Amino acid sequence: MSKKKSIHFEVSERKILLRVVDLLMVFFGVYALSYHFDFEYIVFSKENSVALILLGVYVTLFGTIFELYDLQKASQLDTTFKNIVITASTVLLFYLLTPVLAPYLPVERLQIVYLYLVLIISILLWRIVYINLIESPRFYKRVLLVGEISNIDGLVKALNTSDPNYKIVGFINSEASSLESVKYNGLPEFEAKDFLETIKKEKISEILVASFNTEAIMAEVYHDLISLLERGFKIRDYTQVYEELLHKVPIQFVGKDFYKYFPFSRSNENKLYIFVQRAFDVVFAIIGLLIGVSLLPIILLGNVIGNKGPLFYTQERVGKNSMPFNILKLRSMVVDAEQDGAKWAQKNDSRITKFGMFLRRSRMDEIPQFYNVLKGEMSIIGPRPERPFFVSELSRIIPFYETRHIIKPGLTGWAQVKTRYGASVDDSLTKLQYDLFYIKHRSIFLDFNIFIKTLSTILYYRGQ
């Protein structure tokens, strides 16, 4: 079998590529502008190194906030163009508002417009190349799935929407017992006896093993897997790829060996990380409460007109180690919204007032929870605290649900920035997968990532 493999880019490689080339294109655009035109606002020179570094920092920071490095959105030209315009506008605004580090305003104000156009055009040209070249089929990672037919449909559906460059071209049934009795028409099926030939013919670059009963794998398939492994061929476990691409723990595929899937982050016991996180919580909670006080007149007026009732309300939630506490929020529903019992919040819920919808989508209803953060009952980042009634119900249905309570709940979290508001058991299962991923991979970098994505959620008005 030939060792020649197709060229493809991993998820992390594409994200790095996008960031690096964005910066190179911006700097090249500024250089071309200052070299070929009478442009004096930011000349490409050593004397302006601080100003150029600041420009690069702003492009990277606001590009992240406005989702320029979201691979799903980066593959769509219309969405990319919109995000580039918003990013360039914000970069220029902040650049003008930091005159100490940025250059002084030019006498000819039209030069600011030139810089704005260069930011948009330089990044857009590169993104057009990226979409038409890197996102083209020639760079797809071609994957062969090896697993049981009974599980293949769920496995394929989960991965097909995660990464457009991750292409499952077919599968080999690893179970001898179901070869004749069960068929799956969603993907081409290749014969186990043609395993090695299929890899060569289909230009496979990775094998994905999704067998939940390794003892049931046919000896022929097992022997070929060992042979490929000895040759250095890339073979990966399904759960590993699932976490990498979807950024959540596949608890629906976890069996008796559950302990293998939860080697929780060392940050959960890292004293320095815990100290830094608590310091961040306190500082940010104070800032949040001060912002809340400054917005209080507007909130009070909106409450009188659009809510007609008490401004605040408290509700019992489950915290760290399953200890209950009372959460403080701005009321967004009608008074006595749950007089008939606890109910899931739905999209376009009739119980939510018009002003309450504004509070939810802007996340302003969460501002009083900074008080809970100061008290130490919550953190800025962590799984959202749920009500005891729903925790009791969900714990009976969803395995490992109580595991999310081993850390403090948070104002925002990985589940909140990755999925919609939980309105059913299925939604709660999805949220739990994201929460466990956060607990498992918790770090300062992931916390910063969540913080940036939360800003994106607020700015794009996506709350529910």
Side-chain angles (χ1 to χ4, degrees):
M1 186 182 69
S2 174
K3 292 185 178 181
K4 185 178 180 181
K5 297 180 181 179
S6 58
I7 300 173
H8 60 266
F9 293 92
E10 301 289 351
V11 171
S12 58
E13 291 172 337
R14 273 178 282 147
K15 288 185 176 182
I16 292 172
L17 185 67
L18 286 173
R19 291 178 186 275
V20 170
V21 181
D22 275 358
L23 290 176
L24 291 177
M25 289 298 292
V26 166
F27 290 144
F28 177 77
V30 171
Y31 172 77
L33 194 62
S34 60
Y35 185 79
H36 294 288
F37 300 94
D38 188 19
F39 182 77
E40 300 177 348
Y41 179 38
I42 174 170
V43 179
F44 203 92
S45 64
K46 288 184 178 180
E47 290 74 17
N48 282 330
S49 58
V50 174
L52 289 168
I53 291 172
L54 180 66
L55 181 64
V57 169
Y58 280 163
V59 168
T60 300
L61 177 62
F62 292 112
T64 303
I65 292 174
F66 295 111
E67 302 177 334
L68 277 181
Y69 308 112
D70 182 305
L71 294 182
Q72 290 284 354
K73 294 180 173 61
S75 64
Q76 304 165 13
L77 186 58
D78 55 342
T79 304
T80 296
F81 177 70
K82 179 192 72 174
N83 291 342
I84 289 173
V85 171
I86 296 173
T87 298
S89 303
T90 310
V91 166
L92 190 62
L93 175 62
F94 274 77
Y95 206 60
L96 296 174
L97 294 175
T98 48
V100 177
L101 298 175
Y104 291 107
L105 292 177
V107 176
E108 188 181 351
R109 295 294 193 261
L110 193 60
Q111 293 197 5
I112 298 174
V113 178
Y114 295 157
L115 178 60
Y116 178 61
L117 292 175
V118 161
L119 289 174
I120 294 175
I121 294 171
S122 60
I123 298 177
L124 181 60
L125 288 174
W126 147 238
R127 291 310 184 95
I128 292 173
V129 174
Y130 172 82
I131 290 171
N132 289 281
L133 181 63
I134 307 301
E135 287 289 312
S136 66
R138 76 182 69 181
F139 288 109
Y140 284 176
K141 178 184 283 189
R142 297 177 62 81
V143 180
L144 181 65
L145 184 64
V146 176
E148 300 97 357
I149 283 186
S150 57
N151 295 312
I152 282 179
D153 186 47
L155 301 175
V156 172
K157 284 181 178 178
L159 294 181
N160 268 350
T161 57
S162 61
D163 181 6
N165 283 35
Y166 197 84
K167 182 71 172 177
I168 299 178
V169 300
F171 75 96
I172 288 179
N173 186 3
S174 63
E175 285 185 311
S177 59
S178 59
L179 278 173
E180 301 298 330
S181 59
V182 183
K183 293 293 180 185
Y184 174 67
N185 299 319
L187 276 177
E189 180 178 0
F190 301 104
E191 295 293 333
K193 61 184 177 62
D194 301 325
F195 196 166
L196 301 181
E197 184 62 28
T198 299
I199 291 173
K200 181 179 179 180
K201 183 179 178 181
E202 298 295 329
K203 298 179 180 178
I204 301 299
S205 55
E206 180 175 304
I207 294 173
L208 189 59
V209 179
S211 178
F212 306 109
N213 182 12
T214 53
E215 294 181 359
I217 296 179
M218 286 188 294
E220 185 179 11
V221 173
Y222 186 79
H223 178 270
D224 286 341
L225 285 172
I226 295 295
S227 177
L228 288 166
L229 184 67
E230 290 173 344
R231 301 182 198 182
F233 200 89
K234 193 169 187 178
I235 302 174
R236 293 207 286 173
D237 179 69
Y238 177 82
T239 55
Q240 176 190 358
V241 176
Y242 188 99
E243 280 196 38
E244 180 184 301
L245 295 184
L246 279 74
H247 302 118
K248 54 184 181 179
V249 173
I251 58 174
Q252 68 271 45
F253 302 122
V254 173
K256 294 180 179 179
D257 295 335
F258 64 89
Y259 52 87
K260 294 181 181 178
Y261 299 91
F262 302 126
F264 289 130
S265 170
R266 293 180 181 178
S267 295
N268 296 317
E269 298 178 355
N270 187 310
K271 297 294 189 294
L272 179 60
Y273 171 81
I274 294 172
F275 172 79
V276 171
Q277 186 195 46
R278 182 56 186 161
F280 173 79
D281 285 347
V282 171
V283 171
F284 204 83
I286 293 172
I287 295 173
L289 289 173
L290 291 175
I291 293 173
V293 171
S294 66
L295 295 173
L296 193 57
I298 300 173
I299 294 172
L300 284 170
L301 181 62
N303 185 69
V304 170
I305 298 173
N307 264 0
K308 295 181 171 54
L311 178 61
F312 298 98
Y313 86 98
T314 59
Q315 194 176 68
E316 189 178 41
R317 297 291 176 96
V318 178
K320 183 178 179 180
N321 298 325
S322 299
M323 295 294 294
F325 71 100
N326 289 319
I327 199 173
L328 183 64
K329 295 188 72 173
L330 294 177
R331 185 175 59 84
S332 59
M333 288 188 174
V334 297
V335 178
D336 297 327
E338 295 188 336
Q339 58 183 347
D340 297 326
K343 299 177 182 177
W344 292 104
Q346 303 290 334
K347 188 176 182 180
N348 300 321
D349 199 320
S350 60
R351 298 173 298 168
I352 301 175
T353 65
K354 290 183 178 179
F355 184 65
M357 181 59 70
F358 166 74
L359 291 176
R360 286 191 170 211
R361 288 189 171 175
S362 63
R363 299 297 177 95
M364 290 172 64
D365 64 320
E366 313 284 3
I367 289 177
Q369 290 173 51
F370 285 118
Y371 175 67
N372 294 107
V373 174
L374 274 181
K375 289 177 65 179
E377 296 169 331
M378 293 178 62
S379 184
I380 297 296
I381 297 171
R384 284 295 294 160
E386 194 51 84
R387 297 158 66 180
F389 173 79
F390 291 124
V391 169
S392 177
E393 291 296 308
L394 293 170
S395 297
R396 292 190 297 105
I397 302 170
I398 303 175
F400 314 112
Y401 189 81
E402 288 281 5
T403 311
R404 69 197 300 271
H405 299 132
I406 69 172
I407 64 172
K408 287 182 184 178
L411 265 172
T412 186
W414 191 234
Q416 279 59 51
V417 300
K418 296 292 286 185
T419 189
R420 63 180 183 174
Y421 190 88
S424 66
V425 173
D426 288 340
D427 289 343
S428 296
L429 172 62
T430 301
K431 284 179 61 180
L432 176 62
Q433 290 179 286
Y434 284 118
D435 286 335
L436 293 181
F437 180 89
Y438 172 73
I439 296 172
K440 184 175 179 178
H441 299 279
R442 198 176 176 208
S443 66
I444 291 176
F445 176 79
L446 183 55
D447 287 344
F448 180 73
N449 193 356
I450 294 170
F451 181 75
I452 295 297
K453 288 181 182 294
T454 301
L455 293 179
S456 299
T457 301
I458 294 171
L459 293 171
Y460 279 115
Y461 204 56
R462 291 180 184 146
Q464 179 172 310

